[in-house]
Amino acid sequence: MFKRDKQLTITRTLNDKELAALREPRNDLVAERPVGEDRYELLHGPFSKYERTISVNSESKEVNHVHETFSWRLSIPFWGVFFSFLVGKSLPKRSKPWWAPPDRLNERSAKVLGILACVQVIDGYLGSVITQTITFAADEFDHSSSAQGITLAVVRVGVLLSLGVLVIADKKGRRNVLLLALVLSIITTALGSFSSGLWFLGSTQLIARGLTTGMGILIGVIAAEELPKGSRAYGVSMLSLSAALGAGISVWVLPIADLNEKGWRIVYLVPLLFLLPLIKVTKNLPESLRYQANSKTLPKNPSKSSDENEPFVNRRLFLLASVGFLLLIFAAPASQFQNDFLREYRGYSASGITAYWLLTSTPAGIAIFLAGRFADTHGRKKIATSGLLGGTLFIVLSYHFSGILMWTSHLFGAVLGSLTVALGVYGPELFSTNRRARSNGVIVAFSVLGSATGLLLVGSMTDFFNSYGHAFSITAVGPVFAAVLVMLKFPETAKIELEDLNPGDVRPENDGD
């Protein structure tokens, strides 16, 4: 868990006015309270331990030699090593750093976000293995692009399993359901390494993808229920980066497929290496505060305002499900068929595919981070619409080009497309606690229906046109219509409490803010 204490001492010479300012309690990266002469402790912030002390040696009236010492321990598990470095660079400055969330996290929310990010890494890996390996598996089993499309579409039926997972999570709680899904999805994915054909691989992935889909939704729901109102999109962006890291790990492992016709099978065994460490990390994950508060009150005393808002909730569900469907008609096949396009139409090896993914997609991480911050500070709608339109345009171009133009187009498409992370926060925000997981499951079900439709369409049209470019030019109408819906019909939810968006909910008393 990397719980080592960090210490930093800064020595400087200050005049009396500067010293007086230094003695004021901080309210930036951390909020302090004075606990003695020139000694300050944690009032609010992402620390499990924090102390600042000042030692002054006054040489004359306006010359003070000051030693300012910080001692801290971040409450962020695993990632604390990285963030402690950033904190050490930021503490000497009495201002909020660029990388910090717009609304400061407290000890609990920072810990929860850190644990969820760990789970999201493995969720990102599990969700991408079939994408990375399907072209190699199809070669071993001697199947076409259409067969790949059918297999990938059938795998999406696993969303029905995720709906069952989410119904249980609304009734029994988030934490235990998430951890059970994590263990089962890793084991089921590993079974895919023993596949005797595409049907066996597809069957194991149907179950595994259903579980990982449920995991992904629950991760977002818990994050929304724990994070402050001004940092929910920031949290979604950090979780998206974690998922991208997990997907990236599957790309790093992919060159194994070049070593042998059956080498792709090893990709399915790698998650077993992370099972025990993940269990150790996640044992400290608490149950969602909002779930605890509302599971006790809502079933016994259903709110009239909740009933009155029922038609509005249905409208929200329809809008979000429609946008998910329209976006995934394009986005799912654009991702799923990328390796086959590079391998069959551009002659790339597994190593070449890995280089292409890393060099054109890694910069998108910066865009994901910035999208989360801007969605919290400037609103969700403009950011999401820019991502839908710009990302779609350049990804379509990448399937028409080759060489440097293909790489450049995909780079721009990945960066701009990453702005759609702003859409990810809407699902957890727009539904009450006692139906949040289920509603998001329905949205994902329609999104999966869109992805299955897109996979079947693109697979068939590619065989017909003998061109991925023509197929994606046609399916690009989906995200264009989605952008129109977002701009015209979606509400703006930035900086609004979940209980204000869902009046029937009860705000937890001990939310740390």
Side-chain angles (χ1 to χ4, degrees), residues 11-52:
T11 301
R12 50 194 161 183
T13 301
L14 305 176
N15 60 36
D16 291 348
K17 183 178 180 181
E18 291 169 333
L19 177 59
L22 190 68
R23 281 172 162 158
E24 288 294 320
R26 298 178 64 132
N27 187 24
D28 38 71
L29 179 64
V30 58
E32 298 175 336
R33 62 185 171 201
V35 291
E37 184 177 358
D38 289 340
R39 182 167 168 262
Y40 308 84
E41 288 184 351
L42 177 69
L43 176 63
H44 185 274
F47 301 89
S48 55
K49 176 183 177 183
Y50 173 88
E51 182 180 58
R52 179 170 71 100

Side-chain angles (χ1 to χ4, degrees), residues 130 133-134 137 141 151 155 192-193 195-206 264 268:
I130 188 70
T133 60
I134 185 68
F141 303 132
T151 302
V155 165
S193 65
S195 298
S196 56
L198 277 184
W199 66 270
F200 187 98
L201 180 63
S203 298
T204 57
Q205 277 294 292
L206 184 150
W264 60 269
Y268 289 78

Side-chain angles (χ1 to χ4, degrees), residues 89-366:
K89 294 293 184 181
S90 302
L91 282 176
K93 309 168 186 176
R94 295 176 70 95
S95 61
K96 185 176 290 186
W98 63 268
W99 51 265
D103 273 9
R104 184 176 51 233
L105 306 186
N106 62 17
E107 177 183 357
R108 177 190 171 103
S109 58
K111 179 178 75 172
V112 169
L113 184 59
I115 294 173
L116 292 178
C118 291
V119 180
Q120 188 74 79
V121 170
I122 199 65
D123 186 60
Y125 185 100
L126 296 174
S128 65
V129 289
I130 188 70
T131 303
Q132 300 301 330
T133 60
I134 185 68
T135 183
F136 300 99
D139 257 14
E140 180 183 338
F141 303 132
D142 194 25
H143 288 289
S144 66
S145 294
S146 294
Q148 293 181 49
I150 292 171
T151 302
L152 293 169
V154 169
V155 165
R156 266 66 185 173
V157 177
V159 73
L160 298 177
L161 177 60
S162 72
L163 286 174
V165 169
L166 297 167
V167 168
I168 296 173
D170 271 340
K171 292 182 178 296
K172 302 296 183 181
R174 322 302 197 199
R175 179 188 183 276
N176 292 336
V177 175
L178 175 65
L179 301 188
L180 180 61
L182 170 64
V183 173
L184 292 179
S185 60
I186 290 176
I187 294 173
T188 310
T189 297
L191 292 176
S193 65
F194 302 101
S195 298
S196 56
L198 277 184
W199 66 270
F200 187 98
L201 180 63
S203 298
T204 57
Q205 277 294 292
L206 184 150
I207 297 172
R209 285 295 291 268
L211 292 169
T212 56
T213 299
M215 282 170 53
I217 295 171
L218 281 178
I219 289 169
V221 165
I222 296 171
E225 292 177 346
E226 290 283 343
L227 295 178
K229 63 182 180 180
S231 293
R232 290 193 297 264
Y234 174 92
V236 168
S237 70
M238 298 302 288
L239 293 172
S240 297
L241 286 173
S242 300
L245 174 60
I249 294 173
S250 71
V251 176
W252 303 341
V253 177
L254 188 61
I256 293 174
D258 280 339
L259 303 179
N260 185 276
E261 185 183 40
K262 299 179 183 294
W264 60 269
R265 298 170 183 267
I266 297 176
V267 180
Y268 289 78
L269 296 173
V270 171
L272 291 174
L273 300 175
F274 300 99
L275 184 56
L276 290 179
L278 278 170
I279 290 175
K280 183 178 179 180
V281 169
T282 54
K283 72 179 182 180
N284 296 300
L285 179 67
E287 181 56 83
S288 158
L289 277 175
R290 281 185 164 85
Y291 178 81
Q292 289 179 320
N294 287 278
S295 63
K296 296 175 183 178
T297 57
L298 288 181
K300 297 177 182 178
N301 302 299
S303 169
K304 292 182 180 180
S305 61
S306 179
D307 293 335
E308 292 169 358
N309 282 339
E310 189 67 31
F312 183 53
V313 169
N314 286 340
R315 179 174 177 270
R316 291 173 171 180
L317 187 62
F318 173 77
L319 284 172
L320 290 168
S322 299
V323 167
F325 180 90
L326 292 169
L327 173 59
L328 269 293
I329 278 181
F330 175 84
S335 171
Q336 300 283 309
F337 284 119
Q338 183 74 66
N339 286 7
D340 191 63
F341 167 73
L342 293 172
R343 191 163 180 264
E344 299 296 335
Y345 290 81
R346 296 295 182 261
Y348 282 49
S349 65
S351 298
I353 293 171
T354 297
Y356 182 85
W357 273 104
L358 291 178
L359 293 177
T360 62
S361 298
T362 300
I366 299 173

Side-chain angles (χ1 to χ4, degrees), residues 423-441:
L423 289 173
V425 72
Y426 272 113
E429 287 179 331
L430 294 181
F431 302 97
S432 61
T433 301
N434 70 333
R435 66 177 65 201
R436 185 168 288 128
R438 280 175 288 174
S439 298
N440 279 268

Side-chain angles (χ1 to χ4, degrees), residues 431-509:
F431 302 97
S432 61
T433 301
N434 70 333
R435 66 177 65 201
R436 185 168 288 128
R438 280 175 288 174
S439 298
N440 279 268
V442 172
I443 294 166
V444 171
F446 276 90
S447 300
V448 169
L449 179 60
S451 68
T453 303
L455 288 166
L456 292 173
L457 287 173
V458 171
S460 299
M461 287 190 290
T462 299
D463 286 342
F464 179 79
F465 292 118
N466 194 31
S467 168
Y468 274 111
H470 295 327
F472 283 115
S473 295
I474 294 171
T475 55
V477 299
V480 172
F481 281 129
V484 173
L485 281 178
V486 171
M487 280 304 296
L488 297 182
K489 299 296 183 180
F490 271 42
E492 186 53 72
T493 59
K495 303 179 183 179
I496 302 176
E497 289 285 4
L498 294 181
E499 290 72 30
D500 294 327
L501 293 168
N502 305 282
D505 271 7
V506 174
R507 186 179 185 185
E509 295 180 4

